[in-house]
Amino acid sequence: MALWDRFKQSTQQMQTQLEAKKNELKSGAFRDASMAMCALVAAADGTIDDSERRRVAHLIATNEVLQNFPAADLQKRFDDYLNTLTADFEFGKVSILQEIAKAKKKPAEARAVIQIGIVIGGADGDFDKTEQAVVREACYTLDLPPHEFDL
């Protein structure tokens, strides 16, 4: 099986796992950490163009698990986190990782945040090295072993 096919299958499995836990993923900490993760992955290369912003916003609005929260609220949080990252990526990343760390208290939420990052990262067909690196960093922030997610 080609590497891309394995990755695509893996992200589909992660999305299925997320959907199975949808009813457990309703806390404010999960909401904030998920949007912080989406912004971190979207801005992983240090820039974000309008098409990437729209693509991630569409994924947020249509993701089954995130429908526990109002779409407009998620969009605002995502945009705010992106603005933090685009103003000063390195400083903003520290703030974003602090938001992600709030999901650490509940292991199911922590894993779900990482899975959302991987799903968002792979949505364009290329989960590149910079995206993998920020998701790996989030794993360390959440005290999760990156190899659990093939990172």
Side-chain angles (χ1 to χ4, degrees), residues 72-137:
D73 182 36
L74 294 177
Q75 185 66 48
K76 181 183 180 329
R77 290 173 194 281
F78 172 69
D79 287 339
D80 289 347
Y81 292 136
L82 269 184
N83 291 337
T84 298
L85 288 164
T86 55
D88 181 339
F89 184 78
E90 288 304 318
F91 182 74
K93 186 167 76 166
V94 172
S95 173
I96 296 302
L97 289 171
Q98 289 173 339
E99 284 297 320
I100 290 170
K102 293 177 182 178
K104 190 188 302 190
K105 295 176 188 168
K106 295 182 180 176
E109 289 184 358
R111 282 183 176 74
V113 168
I114 297 300
Q115 289 171 321
I116 284 174
I118 293 168
V119 168
I120 293 292
D124 64 355
D126 181 29
F127 188 40
D128 67 38
K129 296 288 183 199
T130 57
E131 292 168 336
Q132 291 176 32
V134 295
V135 174
R136 191 176 310 109
E137 200 168 344

Side-chain angles (χ1 to χ4, degrees), residues 30-39 60 66 74 77-78 81:
F30 171 73
R31 176 201 60 213
D32 295 350
S34 295
M35 292 304 94
M37 175 61 85
C38 289
I60 290 168
L66 296 175
L74 294 177
R77 290 173 194 281
F78 172 69
Y81 292 136

